[in-house]
Amino acid sequence: MVCKLVIRKEQIMLSKTDVQKIAALARVGLAEKEIEKYQKDLSAVLDWVEQLKEVDVAGVEPTAHIAGVKNVLREDNEEEFLNREDIIGLFPEAKDGYDKVKSVL
Amino acid sequence: MIRDLHNRLISKEITAVQLAEQYFAAIEKKDRDIFAYLTLTKDLALAQARKTDEKIASGEEVGILEGIPGAIKDNICVAGVRATAASKILDNYIAPYDATVVRKLKEAGAVVLGKTNMDEFAMGSSTENSAYGPTKNPHDFERVPGGSSGGSAAAVAGDMAAWALGTDTGGSIRQPAAFCGAVGLKPTYGRVSRSGAIAMASSLDQIGPITKTVEDAAIILGAIAGEDKLDATAARSADKDYLSYLTGDVNGLKIGVVKEYMEGLSDDAKKSMEKVLEKYRGLGAEIREIELPSAKYALAAYYLIMPAEVSSNLARFDGIKYGFRINDAEDSGVENAIPKSLLETYLDSRHYGLGTETKKRIMLGTYALSAGYYDAYYKKAQQVRTLIRKDFEKVFDPSADGVDLILSPTTPTSAFKLGEKTENPLEMYLADIFTVTANITGVPAISVPAPAVESAGRRMPFGFQLMGKWFDEENLLNAAHAYEKSQSTKPKA
């Protein structure tokens, strides 16, 4: 199966700012020294998937869903959560049964 | 193997408690070297085994899975038991409910021995991305067991579990099964409920069995498959008795082979594949050359679709509702520590809680879905996905004299050494080259042990893969079973 790792002449290279923007969108904190490694790794993958540019997809519908089911509904009935205590027990910080977090506003 | 254990239980040759204890003894002896398990569930297992023993003692008829001990991959929830997905961010997470497949297995009386190691959030092909350390291949401790269901495959291959559950998004059941010499089945997308499995890529994930034999895989599939109101994509999957389809008769079965898939294999691997094809011809199947012109883009499409869905599914691991949270300025080790805001809770919890490969894929996906890039990346990959699916529809089309199954190697090589592919991540991705197409199209696929191959002075397991038509696990399992049956009648070498 031919799937070579071809290093092309004009490689995709994300900039430091690109990586910082992406990380911010993804809510993933990055240390300064990590940025370069992610720059390299992400760019390598993006460069490799460029091969998809060769494919002619004119008029082709995108596939979002392959199970072929549509509008699977159920009755809108109330059900009890029998494991409520277990779920609340998972909050990293709880107070009076609520999940305690930093101020939202 | 499951049927044998079942017979021993009902003939009272052994009790379920003794059987479970035997497996725990094996784990005690071997798992220090192999590290297949992250968590053992001894109390749960023995309680389940005792119930089985009571049923048998009272003369009740018991199902084939009753009392049979197995392992569950650590990204599938077992109520009251830790579920980490091999990530630091879930190190202290205790699942508050059973995954549907676990509930079904418990109802069938199966015994859960513990949770197995995996690549973090199922991202990897070697189990080296686990936050807890890698699992070793039972056939050679210097090699990987494959991934991401490496722990499950090693548990079964290492005789530390009679069956195991894994998940497969790009090959994560089949590839480790092939590396460890076990059987691994990825059902049709929509055949098995994903409720209770920690989601990686929702349009690609499937839960499936890793077992010693094809018959065992059929037994587990029968127990876990079916409709589930908790998973809308498993809405039309009727329960079937897969065992009844295992006749071993493949006369007239049409098996398609893609010529290019055999190139680039080592000579020994080529020989192994040739022997498999020869066996099928001997059993009366017809081998045909087919073409899947768009399939060569499957891996690239996968590395856009999968990270995109990952970036969405892993957004929930933010330190808020469960798992690891960084709140205290002291913990973070960040220069200029300041009181944490909500934003910093997210940034730091994910910074420290998530591993490198996980963060990489989240960022890749975020980029591919972001404004200005969505069309060129994600949408394009989705369109390529349609083309690949059409290729499969064409080769499977009965009205156009299509084939019934597609045969290929499961992986390009046998198990590689620990650390061998961690330097260049793209090289690691190529391990999935034959397996991703089944996830991209949704078809069922199974890996079956082929003749072993020579690798750096050792004979290592090697697997062949069969892909079937959508929701046609019957033909798939039967064909796999036919090959396996024919091997067991050979004189021992």
Side-chain angles (χ1 to χ4, degrees):
Chain A
M1 169 90 150
V2 180
C3 195
K4 297 190 280 234
L5 295 176
V6 179
I7 312 295
R8 300 168 322 115
K9 262 190 334 178
E10 306 137 34
Q11 274 183 274
I12 296 219
M13 199 28 140
L14 294 176
S15 71
K16 207 162 162 191
T17 324
D18 287 332
V19 175
Q20 285 167 323
K21 271 209 310 232
I22 296 167
L25 275 176
R27 297 291 187 261
V28 173
L30 284 187
E32 187 66 32
K33 55 188 165 124
E34 289 179 295
I35 298 182
E36 196 187 320
K37 177 157 187 0
Y38 284 110
Q39 250 186 296
K40 276 222 289 276
D41 283 352
L42 292 178
S43 302
V45 180
L46 289 171
D47 193 62
W48 175 61
V49 299
E50 276 293 290
Q51 63 185 267
L52 293 183
K53 273 219 166 83
E54 304 165 9
V55 189
D56 178 12
V57 292
V60 178
E61 273 303 297
T63 296
H65 177 52
I66 51 169
V69 288
K70 230 174 164 172
N71 295 338
V72 179
L73 305 173
R74 62 172 173 83
E75 286 303 310
D76 186 14
N77 293 323
E78 218 179 83
E79 277 179 30
E80 246 198 283
F81 269 86
L82 300 169
N83 54 357
R84 192 171 170 274
E85 292 310 312
D86 294 330
I87 294 174
I88 292 177
L90 292 170
F91 296 160
E93 261 183 279
K95 186 171 171 178
D96 303 332
Y98 288 90
D99 186 352
K100 184 162 182 286
V101 299
K102 293 290 174 188
S103 155
V104 175
L105 295 172
Chain B
M1 148 154 261
I2 292 180
R3 192 184 290 281
D4 288 335
L5 293 176
H6 170 73
N7 289 337
R8 290 171 68 201
L9 285 172
I10 56 176
S11 69
K12 304 201 178 148
E13 187 189 314
I14 188 175
T15 66
V17 168
Q18 284 168 334
L19 187 57
E21 282 174 345
Q22 268 179 21
Y23 272 103
F24 281 119
I27 293 168
E28 168 85 33
K29 186 162 156 230
K30 302 187 197 186
D31 213 33
R32 221 161 313 161
D33 291 319
I34 296 177
F35 192 46
Y37 283 91
L38 288 177
T39 303
L40 291 177
T41 53
K42 223 168 182 174
D43 292 336
L44 172 66
L46 294 175
Q48 291 172 314
R50 274 189 286 269
K51 277 210 209 106
T52 297
D53 285 337
E54 280 162 26
K55 279 189 181 167
I56 294 178
S58 72
E60 220 181 296
E61 204 179 307
V62 293
I64 196 166
L65 268 179
E66 188 80 43
I68 309 293
I72 311 268
K73 187 175 179 181
D74 210 21
N75 63 348
I76 299 172
C77 291
V78 176
V81 180
R82 217 166 67 125
T84 65
S87 177
K88 266 205 312 219
I89 212 167
L90 288 178
D91 182 57
N92 63 351
Y93 179 77
I94 310 281
Y97 61 96
D98 279 329
T100 297
V101 294
V102 170
R103 177 180 57 77
K104 288 179 148 208
L105 283 170
K106 283 183 176 179
E107 281 165 9
V111 167
V112 177
L113 296 166
K115 312 297 294 303
T116 55
N117 199 15
M118 50 184 283
D119 281 297
E120 182 176 1
F121 286 113
M123 303 188 194
S125 308
S126 66
T127 310
E128 290 172 293
N129 288 332
S130 167
Y132 299 99
T135 297
K136 319 289 169 49
N137 191 315
H139 295 268
D140 180 350
F141 295 164
E142 288 178 14
R143 294 185 204 231
V144 303
S148 59
S149 311
S152 285
V156 169
D159 297 311
M160 294 185 284
W163 55 267
L165 286 190
T167 61
D168 190 313
T169 304
S172 291
I173 284 174
R174 295 160 284 150
Q175 185 253 32
F179 277 10
C180 292
V183 170
L185 169 70
K186 182 201 82 73
T188 310
Y189 181 85
R191 173 64 80 197
V192 175
S193 168
R194 291 172 296 112
S195 175
I198 295 172
M200 182 188 175
S202 304
S203 79
L204 300 162
D205 292 345
Q206 263 296 275
I207 296 175
I210 297 180
T211 52
K212 287 265 200 207
T213 66
V214 176
E215 187 192 66
D216 289 353
I219 292 172
I220 298 287
L221 180 65
I224 61 175
E227 273 184 45
D228 185 17
K229 69 170 187 190
L230 295 174
D231 178 359
T233 60
R236 60 165 184 166
S237 172
D239 294 316
K240 276 187 194 162
D241 176 18
Y242 297 99
L243 271 186
S244 64
Y245 292 91
L246 302 185
T247 58
D249 179 13
V250 294
N251 217 351
L253 194 71
K254 289 175 275 198
I255 299 178
V257 174
V258 177
K259 205 172 58 168
E260 287 91 44
Y261 288 5
M262 306 301 184
E263 294 162 13
L265 293 181
S266 71
D267 288 334
D268 226 28
K270 276 197 197 128
K271 273 199 218 123
S272 177
M273 291 301 299
E274 252 315 306
K275 287 201 197 122
V276 173
L277 291 173
E278 219 178 280
K279 177 58 61 174
Y280 273 115
R281 282 189 196 103
L283 291 170
E286 184 197 323
I287 310 292
R288 266 201 225 161
E289 254 182 43
I290 56 164
E291 277 181 22
L292 296 169
S294 303
K296 65 177 184 272
Y297 297 109
L299 198 58
Y302 173 77
Y303 272 99
L304 277 176
I305 295 171
M306 176 271 292
E309 295 181 9
V310 157
S311 72
S312 176
N313 280 329
L314 269 70
R316 70 196 66 183
F317 302 110
D318 54 9
I320 299 298
K321 295 187 295 294
Y322 39 68
F324 179 77
R325 176 196 288 185
I326 291 224
N327 261 324
D328 196 314
E330 286 169 16
D331 291 352
S332 69
V334 174
E335 48 231 68
N336 306 318
I338 52 176
K340 295 297 173 200
S341 63
L342 185 64
L343 175 60
E344 268 149 359
T345 304
Y346 299 148
L347 294 175
D348 286 351
S349 301
R350 287 157 75 77
H351 176 35
Y352 291 100
L354 299 174
T356 307
E357 185 64 25
T358 301
K359 284 188 278 208
K360 200 170 105 181
R361 296 194 192 191
I362 289 173
M363 289 199 279
L364 199 49
T366 303
Y367 185 68
L369 290 173
S370 61
Y373 294 105
Y374 178 93
D375 283 355
Y377 286 130
Y378 187 62
K379 180 157 173 237
K380 184 74 183 263
Q382 300 271 49
Q383 289 170 305
V384 171
R385 188 174 191 177
T386 303
L387 290 178
I388 298 170
R389 193 193 164 104
K390 284 203 198 306
D391 275 358
F392 272 65
E393 283 169 356
K394 198 156 146 221
V395 303
F396 280 149
D397 187 357
S399 70
D401 193 30
V403 298
D404 301 300
L405 298 167
I406 300 171
L407 193 153
S408 75
T410 304
T411 56
T413 65
S414 58
F416 41 87
K417 302 229 171 192
L418 289 154
E420 192 182 314
K421 297 205 190 261
T422 46
E423 273 316 297
N424 183 347
L426 283 178
E427 243 193 82
M428 183 75 84
Y429 296 168
L430 288 180
D432 291 337
I433 207 160
F434 298 124
T435 48
V436 284
T437 358
N439 304 84
I440 289 283
T441 53
V443 300
I446 190 168
S447 179
V448 181
V453 300
E454 165 79 31
S455 168
R458 269 188 113 113
R459 307 283 306 158
M460 286 299 291
F462 190 68
F464 75 91
Q465 174 180 249
L466 286 169
M467 287 189 276
K469 298 183 192 180
W470 293 271
F471 294 103
D472 188 19
E473 281 85 354
E474 299 91 280
N475 261 316
L476 184 69
L477 286 165
N478 184 39
H481 174 68
Y483 175 84
E484 191 184 70
K485 214 167 94 167
S486 76
Q487 294 306 97
S488 60
T489 54
K490 263 179 27 189
K492 291 263 177 179

